[in-house]
Amino acid sequence: MTASRTVELEGHIIDSGMMQQAFGIVMDMGGNFDVEEFEVGTHKEAESYCRMAVFADSDSDLQEILHELHQIGANLTDPVDAHLEAAPADRVVPTGFYSTTNHPTQVRYRGEWLDVENIEMDCAIVIESGDGEHEAQGASDGSSGDDESPRGDPRAYTKVLNAIREGDLVVTDEAGIRVDPPERPRDSSGPFGFMQGGVSSERPSESLIRQVADAMKRTKEEGGKILVVTGPALIHAGAGDELARLVREGYIDMLSAGNGFAVHDIERGLYGTSLGMDMETLEHPRKGHKHHIYTISEVIRAGGIAEAVDDGLIEEGVMYECVRNDVPYVLAGSIRDDGPLPDTITDSVEAQNAIREQAHEADMVLMLSTLLHSVAVGNCLSSTTRVVCVDINPATVTQLLDRGSSQAIGMVTDIGTFIPTLAGTILGEADEESETVEDAEEVDADDD
């Protein structure tokens, strides 16, 4: 017996490759398709439309094909409500639950489309009815959650597995769900036009850095927030002062890092070393290997990073500027950490939640020389968030893209060169503009 459903694709589906990708998915997974309607956009701004019937040998095979098609933005044509089932226990999702992409998503509930809040990849979608009731389709026991939903409008939002509670209404199947992947711009015009994904060590670095600088300035002009995700290699490479400068000048709104980054940044300010290496001579001074532990001990003695800044122990560096300029930071711990610093979050679930909160607030993210933190934050980002990943190791940026952060642009270059050039591009222009204004004011004063 053959199973079939009809899906539709719309937008710039030809030049973005979406239509070809959809055909490939169906055939590669053993299905067939029949294009029922196809309209081609005939000018630059016009969108195209394709409706096609998808066939498979069984319902289960069809379901697998539909799931893959959903990931690229092919949506079912029949406007039915999403299927809901109550979670059978805490941290347990119903069989066949819908696993989210990081693309903007809508769920149909009681005949209306709801935007899914805080969209990120690999989550469940939970519905709150808004009327204080839980009504799970297909749930024979009429189970309800621990607490009734507050009365108001219904809402849909993502939940990670450890946040699922018994009775949560979880979306299952692909019915009643619409996914809208952001489309690549047809050209590179505009300050964000260069962000079309991909990894390159061949592009002219200075030109690309200027484009990143323009994107950062535009983000700030629009009232957006910029998150920096970084590792200790940035300090080792000698870029700490310039990153601190960007924080001080208001171009960095949030920082996500690990215990190691903060320790090396503070150690550099206290002793002029990073993991015992003199940052000026690149030599290892006598007893320099102790500086790392001394740093942790002194910050613990002070009670934390902010307290050490207030006491005058820490007088420079990225963490100093974060404290002085009220830039929130998340330091996520790992099994490798020395100490750790009092500010480091050692509970992994608590650290994930803190990272997730930052990620949801970010409009642009710079990922700088850290594989694990880049992937962790990337998992929490919507595909509409602008991402730039910079690392000397191409595996870092390719793994980020492969993991699903397809909106990221990757630069394979030395972070010790990238950050000073970026800061100089942003702040150098600002300094020149300021000097021009001051010169003009002096002229006006002379005229008076």
Side-chain angles (χ1 to χ4, degrees):
M1 178 176 131
T2 302
S4 70
R5 295 290 292 275
T6 302
V7 300
E8 58 185 357
L9 303 91
E10 51 190 331
H12 300 296
I13 61 176
I14 299 174
D15 49 304
S16 69
M18 183 190 297
M19 189 172 69
Q20 180 180 357
Q21 194 175 0
F23 293 165
I25 286 172
V26 176
M27 292 185 291
D28 290 345
M29 298 185 71
N32 295 300
F33 64 87
D34 177 25
V35 176
E36 300 176 341
E37 182 179 351
F38 183 36
E39 298 177 5
V40 180
T42 56
H43 56 85
K44 186 175 181 179
E45 286 76 28
E47 297 184 345
S48 300
Y49 174 83
C50 175
R51 185 180 72 244
M52 67 179 185
V54 180
F55 304 92
D57 292 335
S58 66
D59 286 334
S60 59
D61 290 341
L62 179 63
Q63 197 61 37
E64 291 181 6
I65 294 173
L66 292 176
H67 176 75
E68 293 302 319
L69 289 175
H70 233 78
Q71 310 299 301
I72 65 168
N75 298 307
L76 296 172
T77 57
D78 47 336
V80 299
D81 281 358
H83 298 159
L84 308 178
E85 289 189 25
D90 289 355
R91 299 188 298 170
V92 178
V93 291
T95 302
F97 84 102
Y98 177 79
S99 180
T100 58
T101 69
N102 60 349
H103 303 312
T105 302
Q106 291 183 314
V107 174
R108 188 177 174 88
Y109 177 68
R110 293 180 177 175
E112 304 217 349
W113 290 100
L114 307 177
D115 291 326
V116 178
E117 303 169 18
N118 296 329
I119 192 68
E120 60 178 273
M121 66 178 75
D122 302 330
C123 291
I125 298 176
V126 172
I127 300 290
E128 284 187 5
S129 66
D131 56 12
E133 297 178 0
H134 288 271
E135 297 175 357
Q137 296 178 6
S140 58
D141 59 357
S143 57
S144 61
D146 298 330
D147 300 299
E148 290 189 345
S149 302
R151 294 182 181 278
D153 295 331
R155 56 189 290 250
Y157 54 93
T158 57
K159 268 194 176 185
V160 293
L161 184 62
N162 62 50
I164 293 291
R165 294 294 174 261
E166 181 180 355
D168 280 347
L169 294 184
V170 178
V171 176
T172 62
D173 192 10
E174 270 79 23
I177 300 174
R178 294 196 303 210
V179 177
D180 183 22
E183 296 177 347
R184 297 180 181 181
R186 293 193 174 199
D187 54 39
S188 59
S189 62
F192 305 119
F194 74 102
M195 292 188 180
Q196 301 183 40
V199 180
S200 177
S201 57
E202 303 298 328
R203 299 185 185 112
S205 294
E206 290 189 7
S207 174
L208 196 53
I209 290 172
R210 282 196 299 272
Q211 291 176 309
V212 173
D214 288 343
M216 291 177 66
K217 289 190 286 187
R218 174 61 65 89
T219 299
K220 298 301 300 178
E221 289 169 1
E222 294 175 348
K225 292 186 176 182
I226 299 175
L227 167 65
V228 161
V229 183
T230 186
L234 184 143
I235 304 299
H236 299 328
D241 283 345
E242 295 306 310
L243 182 60
R245 188 177 169 212
L246 287 172
V247 174
R248 182 170 61 251
E249 297 298 330
Y251 284 92
I252 307 300
D253 300 286
M254 298 173 285
L255 176 74
S256 180
N259 181 73
F261 172 82
V263 173
H264 298 322
D265 174 64
I266 298 169
E267 176 192 341
R268 180 185 173 281
L270 294 180
Y271 302 103
T273 61
S274 176
L275 204 58
M277 183 185 73
D278 189 295
M279 295 299 296
E280 296 295 331
T281 66
L282 302 183
E283 297 177 351
H284 286 79
R286 189 167 179 269
K287 296 185 179 180
H289 63 284
K290 296 184 178 182
H291 294 169
H292 184 73
I293 301 301
Y294 281 157
T295 297
I296 296 170
S297 178
E298 290 307 302
V299 175
I300 291 175
R301 188 199 305 272
I305 295 174
E307 291 83 355
V309 170
D310 291 341
D311 291 348
L313 174 68
I314 302 174
E315 297 181 329
E316 61 179 289
V318 179
M319 302 312 299
Y320 171 85
E321 296 297 346
C322 285
V323 172
R324 282 293 183 231
N325 294 280
D326 295 321
V327 172
Y329 53 86
V330 171
L331 303 180
S334 76
I335 198 170
R336 306 181 308 278
D337 289 340
D338 293 318
L341 294 170
D343 304 69
T344 301
I345 303 174
T346 56
D347 183 294
S348 60
V349 174
E350 183 183 347
Q352 287 176 8
N353 290 336
I355 288 172
R356 181 167 287 109
E357 184 176 341
Q358 281 190 327
H360 290 168
E361 292 182 15
D363 298 285
M364 183 175 178
V365 181
L366 299 181
M367 298 179 172
L368 310 173
S369 292
T370 172
L371 171 60
L372 297 180
H373 276 81
S374 294
V375 172
V377 174
N379 288 349
C380 302
L381 294 173
S382 163
S383 63
T384 58
T385 305
R386 306 171 189 113
V387 178
V388 177
C389 180
V390 182
D391 203 296
I392 196 66
N393 183 1
T396 298
V397 287
T398 54
Q399 185 166 337
L400 178 69
L401 295 172
D402 292 343
R403 186 62 185 82
S405 300
S406 58
Q407 79 276 26
I409 179 171
M411 289 184 62
V412 181
T413 189
D414 173 36
I415 198 67
T417 301
F418 174 82
I419 290 297
T421 306
L422 177 66
T425 301
I426 294 176
L427 302 175
E429 292 176 359
D431 291 344
E432 290 173 8
E433 290 173 2
S434 176
E435 290 172 4
T436 301
V437 171
E438 290 176 0
D439 292 343
E441 291 175 347
E442 289 177 3
V443 171
D444 290 341
D446 293 340
D447 290 341
D448 292 342

